[in-house]
């Protein structure tokens, strides 16, 4: 496990590259335009041997994550690539917020198709950009973890140098169907509950979520989906306000109900500044297509990747696991991920932040802990990308 006393890496000075990286696009096998950002044109770029490919958290974009993570990977002369999901950034295509629920057929909005999109981007990187799979690290934040888990389940683990899992449980729903891995800390008392998000413990069943998503998806007014924006504003702001409003912890109508002594606090970002940075990619959530949001969001919630953690351990894929005490994802689930997947390789590492540093997006923290997080992650990337494949795989 990394400690909070990590010495920060020196940064690489450059004045020629765009912080957000250059935009590249491919046409997928089902005819969608999928974009990715490549942080390049550094003095060391042509000699770089390692690459990190990032799948963002839901509602963030490739342009954002390249600017957030890129400087840390520049410091170790590693290329940074990030992929836009369908409906976001350069992959928006026909799924702009201006499109009504009936304007188009909403194709490919499921985790398995996003995993295929990632595979096709990786092929493009290999054939056109000289990226070597054995020196490529897969990094997922939030929903990006789920997409990479699907990818590894479908296409195997053996080609890649490592897998970073940043704060996403392998299963969202409690009860039926029970987890593929019986050791996952599932709660069988409620068979229709969103249990591995903190707010879900008291507020959301699958039926409630489905009804809300359906209503928001049909509410298209003046080229936008106002209920989707209102939903995200309410949820994100409520989560981030729980720390400062302990009186809401005992209010059954509040999203903060049950926090404090029973659940700790719940945050996406450490402060409002970080939340504003997160929201910027979607114009404060106004650029999200409501029908896309409902279809893709519900599909994400239905997945169970607890078995993939065993696959990762058995195949010896090195992992980096992050979780936080105050994150919207309860820390115990990320500790379970670490306990199951981590032992497969001696090159695996974990990092758990406590208190207000331990939020869902620690790379946006403003108290210096973002640098500690990014340095720990970059140190691990450097080590696993440099290691001979045979040395970093425990069981093959």
């Amino acid at each position: 496990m990394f400690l909070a006393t990590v010495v920060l890496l020196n940064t690489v000075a450059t004045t020629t590259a765009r912080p957000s990286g250059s935009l590249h696009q491919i046409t997928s096998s089902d005819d969608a335009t999928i974009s990715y950002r490549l942080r390049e044109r550094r003095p060391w770029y042509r000699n770089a041997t390692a690459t990190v490919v990032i799948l963002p958290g839901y509602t963030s974009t490739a342009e954002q994550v390249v600017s957030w993570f890129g400087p840390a990977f520049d410091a170790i002369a590693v290329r940074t690539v990030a992929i836009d999901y369908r409906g976001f950034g350069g992959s928006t295509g026909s799924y702009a917020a201006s499109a009504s629920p009936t304007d188009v057929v909403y194709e490919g909005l499921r985790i398995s198709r996003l995993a295929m999109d990632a595979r096709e981007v990786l092929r493009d990187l290999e054939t056109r950009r000289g990226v070597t799979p054995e020196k490529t690290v897969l990094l997922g934040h939030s929903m990006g973890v789920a997409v990479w888990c699907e990818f590894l389940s479908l296409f195997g683990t053996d080609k890649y140098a490592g897998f970073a899992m940043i704060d996403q449980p392998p299963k969202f729903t409690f009860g039926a169907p029970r987890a593929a891995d019986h050791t996952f800390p599932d709660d069988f008392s409620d068979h229709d509950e969103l249990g591995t998000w903190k707010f879900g413990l008291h507020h959301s069943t699958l039926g409630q979520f489905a009804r809300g998503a359906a209503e928001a998806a049909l509410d298209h007014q003046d080229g936008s989906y106002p209920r989707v924006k209102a939903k995200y504003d309410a949820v994100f702001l409520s989560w981030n306000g729980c720390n400062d409003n302990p009186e809401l912890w005992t209010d059954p109508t509040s999203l903060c109900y049950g926090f404090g002594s029973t659940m700790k606090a719940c945050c996406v970002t450490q402060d409002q500044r970080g939340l504003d940075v997160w929201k910027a990619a979607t114009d404060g959530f106004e650029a999200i297509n409501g029908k896309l949001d409902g279809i893709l969001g519900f599909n994400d919630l239905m997945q169970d990747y607890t078995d993939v953690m065993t696959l990762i351990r058995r195949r010896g894929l090195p992992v980096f696991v992050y979780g936080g005490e105050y994150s919207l994802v309860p820390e115990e689930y990320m500790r379970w991920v670490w306990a199951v997947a981590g032992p497969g390789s001696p090159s695996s590492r974990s990092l758990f932040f406590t208190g207000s540093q331990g939020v869902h997006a620690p790379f946006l923290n403003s108290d210096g802990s973002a640098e500690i997080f990014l340095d720990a992650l970059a140190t691990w990337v450097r080590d696993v990308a440099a290691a001979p494949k045979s040395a970093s795989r425990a069981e093959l």
Side-chain angles (χ1 to χ4, degrees):
M1 181 183 298
F2 284 110
L3 301 177
T5 55
V6 179
V7 177
L8 300 184
L9 297 168
N10 294 325
T11 58
V12 176
T14 179
T15 58
T16 58
R18 297 168 54 193
S20 59
S22 55
L23 177 66
H24 304 271
Q25 293 183 320
I26 65 167
T27 300
S28 71
S29 55
D30 67 343
D31 305 317
T33 297
I34 305 299
S35 74
Y36 65 89
R37 292 271 177 175
L38 173 60
R39 191 174 168 97
E40 56 187 343
R41 301 197 184 110
R42 266 88 186 142
W44 45 263
Y45 173 79
R46 292 188 179 278
N47 297 320
T49 59
T51 305
V52 176
V53 181
I54 305 172
L55 287 171
Y58 188 60
T59 79
S60 57
T61 64
E63 183 174 14
Q64 284 183 311
V65 297
V66 165
S67 65
W68 295 339
F69 289 88
F73 298 136
D74 288 351
I76 56 171
V78 169
R79 303 183 192 92
T80 305
V81 176
I83 303 171
D84 274 320
Y85 301 127
R86 297 171 181 229
F88 295 93
S91 301
T92 298
S94 59
Y95 301 143
S98 57
S100 80
T102 58
D103 281 349
V104 296
V105 175
Y106 284 70
E107 300 179 65
L109 300 180
R110 51 189 170 272
I111 298 299
S112 59
R113 181 62 242 188
L114 300 187
M116 179 60 82
D117 292 343
R119 187 189 194 202
E120 292 172 1
V121 167
L122 286 169
R123 284 177 174 171
D124 189 71
L125 290 169
E126 293 166 20
T127 57
R128 298 177 57 206
R129 310 291 169 190
V131 170
T132 305
E134 292 77 9
K135 297 294 184 181
T136 297
V137 174
L138 312 177
L139 188 158
H141 173 235
S142 197
M143 192 178 81
V145 176
V147 179
W148 282 131
C149 284
E150 181 79 18
F151 174 93
L152 294 171
S153 178
L154 291 172
F155 307 120
T157 67
D158 295 348
K159 290 176 65 175
Y160 301 99
F163 176 28
M165 293 181 271
I166 311 302
D167 212 38
Q168 168 92 343
K171 185 175 187 287
F172 278 116
T173 56
F174 278 170
R178 296 187 177 185
D181 187 329
H182 67 278
T183 68
F184 183 71
D186 208 336
D187 179 354
F188 304 138
S189 61
D190 190 329
H191 296 286
D192 187 28
E193 188 171 58
L194 298 178
T196 50
W197 277 345
K198 283 181 178 174
F199 82 96
L201 287 172
H202 298 283
H203 293 282
S204 294
T205 67
L206 292 177
Q208 290 168 343
F209 181 91
R211 285 191 296 273
E215 292 171 356
L218 296 175
D219 184 26
H220 187 251
Q221 302 175 28
D222 300 323
S224 66
Y225 290 80
R227 288 199 189 186
V228 171
K229 172 178 167 50
K231 174 187 73 172
Y232 282 111
D233 279 341
V235 170
F236 276 63
L237 293 176
S238 293
W239 280 342
N240 273 49
C242 290
N243 282 339
D244 301 324
N245 297 279
E247 69 278 5
L248 298 179
W249 299 350
T250 55
D251 180 357
T253 66
S254 168
L255 287 173
C256 299
Y257 179 62
F259 289 5
S261 61
T262 58
M263 293 172 61
K264 305 289 174 61
C266 175
C267 290
V268 179
T269 58
Q270 190 176 55
D271 52 30
Q272 186 62 42
R273 179 206 62 83
L275 186 59
D276 290 341
V277 170
W278 180 286
K279 292 167 56 178
T282 56
D283 297 329
F285 306 130
E286 289 187 3
I288 298 176
N289 181 296
K291 186 168 182 179
L292 172 145
D293 178 72
I295 296 172
L296 186 55
F298 195 76
N299 186 263
D300 181 28
L301 293 177
M302 294 297 97
Q303 305 306 314
D304 177 358
Y305 296 112
T306 57
D307 62 311
V308 177
M309 301 303 109
T310 297
L311 171 67
I312 288 169
R313 183 186 70 240
R314 186 172 66 245
R315 303 302 296 173
L317 180 67
V319 297
F320 179 98
V321 176
Y322 164 81
E325 183 181 17
Y326 280 15
S327 172
L328 63 93
V329 176
E331 184 181 348
E332 66 175 303
Y333 299 108
M334 297 313 298
R335 289 195 178 275
W336 182 88
V337 168
W338 169 243
V340 176
S345 169
S347 299
S348 293
R349 297 291 184 269
S350 67
L351 176 63
F352 291 89
F353 277 165
T354 60
S356 64
Q357 295 179 344
V359 294
H360 188 54
F363 42 86
L364 297 179
N365 287 357
S366 56
D367 65 352
S369 55
E371 288 77 13
I372 294 173
F373 170 84
L374 290 167
D375 183 75
L377 177 61
T379 299
W380 173 79
V381 167
R382 179 192 62 197
D383 292 345
V384 297
K389 190 174 179 182
S390 59
S392 63
R393 299 299 175 93
E395 300 176 51
L396 286 178

